Amino acid sequence: MSRQLLRARWKAWRRRLYAILEQDSSNDGASLAVNGLLVFLVVITLTATVLESVPRLAITYAEPFRGIEIVATAVFTLEYLARLWCAPEHPPFRRYGPLLSRLRYVTGLSGLIDLGALLPLWLGFFIAADFKTLLVLRLVRYFKLTRYSPAIRSLLEALYSERHALTGCFVILFGAALIAAAGMHLAERDAQPAVFGTIPDALWWAVVTLGTVGYGDAVPVTPIGRMLAGLTIFAGLLMMALPIGIVASAFADEVHRRDFVITWGLVARIPLFSELSAAEIAEVMKVLRAQKLESGAVIARRGEQARAMYLIADGEVEVRLRHKRFRLGTGQFFGEIAALRRTRRSSTIVTVAPTRLLVLDTLDLHALMDRQPELARRIESAAREKLGRDLEEPDLDIAESELAGSPAP
């Protein structure tokens, strides 16, 4: 076997392993089995860690707990090495080469979480670490679930998208705490010098009061101090409502956008996006919605106003025109012409197998095409190539208004 052929097979194996680990397809049995096993091990080890913190259980079931930890650490170590080997296949890392791409994985957040999942047992072998410390370190494995849970991923993305608003809320909250602490210091410094004698001392009271906790270890005794405390409590209720409302609203939007986790690999393997840079794929991922449908579900109906274009992550759909029908599969997209022209649908689209769709709303599509001219060219070119000369036929099943660009009546 030639060296070139061996290298090609090596890369094919690596690409296949990356697809399994990233769970790019819901129809891939190997991927579902591997990722299901990893999730199961995370849940089992977290449960065992919690139970092992009870001294009686730790003594009685020492051997089973030890066995669970050894098996889980062995599997997580193999997973870490596999992800390290597959790092060059990760779309954002491809332009860096094998060495730098692996370094970026090791130093990235997901790589550090994967490393933290396997460290507790190895640390116990090589250093004299405190048992309780190792138990707490095992809980880092919880964050591995972000790779598989749309809810956790949505929460993190909601926090990131609203980071500026949340930062503003915390700045305002800190300012309110500082003002309340200064006022309480002036009101109570003579009556309770040990508690409110300095602003830093009073700041603790201000923080727990604005946080609506109020431990009761510091209580004003003067009339002015009590009046100020009442105002601080009401201000705290208002202050805490701001970030809670922001996070809840953003989280609800993200949850409604995603029925499954959208990964780099999932987006990059769609031919339309395969040649985009890492920054461009990141921009596309922000505006995509994920939708999971069973066989026989109607995606769009003839005559409806077009509100989105659809990309098939995996599965199959049937496009029902007036005079003919055809099917589209994984990697293909549809609905782009009506979305581009902002007209009504000229066909009904129905799933013929369990299907995962990536949905790009019309407004987001136009904004994305304005920012990425090359992507706009590829969408228009692909649409023309898919339909061929039918784009010019007056008796086409596609509505004339769609082709002319004028709204349908």
Side-chain angles (χ1 to χ4, degrees):
M1 184 181 296
S2 66
R3 181 177 298 179
Q4 187 174 4
L5 181 59
L6 184 61
R7 185 181 295 117
R9 288 191 176 182
W10 190 255
K11 287 185 177 179
W13 292 337
R14 188 174 68 187
R15 196 175 303 116
R16 172 59 180 152
L17 182 58
Y18 175 79
I20 290 175
L21 291 173
E22 288 298 316
Q23 199 174 349
D24 284 348
S25 173
S26 62
N27 299 322
D28 190 333
S31 181
L32 292 174
V34 169
N35 287 278
L37 173 64
L38 292 173
V39 172
F40 175 74
L41 279 177
V42 170
V43 173
I44 287 296
T45 56
L46 289 176
T47 304
T49 298
V50 172
L51 296 178
E52 199 173 356
S53 66
V54 180
R56 178 176 57 83
L57 296 178
I59 296 173
T60 306
Y61 301 102
E63 289 304 316
F65 286 146
R66 182 72 172 173
I68 290 173
E69 183 62 20
I70 291 174
V71 171
T73 301
V75 173
F76 292 147
T77 301
L78 290 175
E79 181 206 4
Y80 182 78
L81 294 175
R83 290 188 183 279
L84 186 63
W85 181 51
C86 296
E89 298 298 327
H90 193 42
F93 298 163
R94 286 176 184 168
R95 60 193 179 98
Y96 295 113
L99 182 60
L100 282 180
S101 61
R102 292 184 176 111
L103 182 61
R104 282 182 169 268
Y105 166 72
V106 169
T107 57
L109 180 60
S110 61
L112 293 174
I113 291 174
D114 291 337
L115 181 62
L118 58 92
L119 277 182
L121 183 64
W122 294 116
L123 289 176
F125 284 140
F126 297 107
I127 63 175
D130 179 68
F131 174 72
K132 295 295 183 183
T133 302
L134 292 179
L135 279 182
V136 173
L137 284 177
R138 290 182 198 171
L139 297 178
V140 173
R141 292 169 183 167
Y142 172 80
F143 295 104
K144 286 177 69 67
L145 295 176
T146 59
R147 194 177 267 121
Y148 313 103
S149 171
I152 298 176
R153 182 74 65 88
S154 296
L155 176 59
L156 294 177
E157 291 184 359
L159 292 173
Y160 180 77
S161 64
E162 299 296 338
R163 63 191 182 281
H164 299 302
L166 292 174
T167 300
C169 289
F170 285 120
V171 169
I172 294 172
L173 187 61
F174 177 75
L178 195 60
I179 292 172
M184 191 59 67
H185 164 66
L186 292 176
E188 296 283 329
R189 61 183 176 181
D190 294 331
Q192 301 186 80
V195 180
F196 298 103
T198 65
I199 292 180
D201 290 335
L203 192 59
W204 165 251
W205 170 88
V207 169
V208 297
T209 302
L210 284 170
T212 68
V213 179
Y215 289 124
D217 55 342
V219 181
V221 295
T222 65
I224 296 178
R226 289 179 176 177
M227 182 177 65
L228 183 59
L231 294 175
T232 303
I233 291 171
F234 284 122
L237 293 173
L238 296 175
M239 292 292 179
M240 296 307 295
L242 286 175
I244 291 174
I246 292 171
V247 173
S249 177
F251 178 62
D253 290 341
E254 286 293 333
V255 167
H256 291 153
R257 288 176 67 89
R258 309 224 168 165
D259 287 339
F260 57 89
V261 176
I262 299 177
T263 65
W264 276 93
L266 188 65
V267 175
R269 73 185 179 90
I270 301 292
L272 182 63
F273 303 133
S274 60
E275 296 181 9
L276 298 182
S277 66
E280 289 170 334
I281 290 180
E283 189 175 6
V284 170
M285 288 178 66
K286 292 178 182 178
V287 295
L288 288 175
R289 280 192 298 116
Q291 189 174 7
K292 186 185 297 183
L293 299 171
E294 297 300 322
S295 178
V298 177
I299 302 170
R301 297 183 185 275
R302 185 197 310 272
E304 289 181 344
Q305 185 67 37
R307 303 187 186 281
M309 69 171 285
Y310 302 86
L311 303 101
I312 306 174
D314 54 58
E316 189 176 18
V317 304
E318 183 177 72
V319 180
R320 300 175 179 176
L321 298 169
R322 280 197 296 266
H323 305 301
K324 63 179 179 180
R325 298 181 178 188
F326 59 92
R327 293 189 176 188
L328 301 174
T330 300
Q332 294 181 291
F333 57 93
F334 58 91
E336 72 282 359
I337 297 177
L340 288 172
R341 305 300 188 188
R342 291 189 172 97
T343 57
R344 298 185 186 277
R345 299 288 183 196
S346 57
S347 62
T348 297
I349 300 98
V350 180
T351 60
V352 293
T355 303
R356 295 194 303 170
L357 297 174
L358 300 178
V359 185
L360 188 55
D361 291 336
T362 300
L363 294 178
D364 291 330
L365 171 62
H366 283 271
L368 194 62
M369 292 174 67
D370 289 340
R371 294 192 298 269
Q372 298 187 23
E374 178 61 22
L375 179 62
R377 184 193 65 76
R378 294 186 66 188
I379 291 175
E380 292 174 348
S381 174
R384 184 171 292 275
E385 180 180 349
K386 181 173 66 177
L387 297 175
R389 67 185 184 87
D390 286 346
L391 281 174
E392 314 300 335
E393 292 288 344
D395 59 346
L396 177 68
D397 287 330
I398 295 177
E400 289 182 5
S401 60
E402 224 177 273
L403 304 178
S406 59

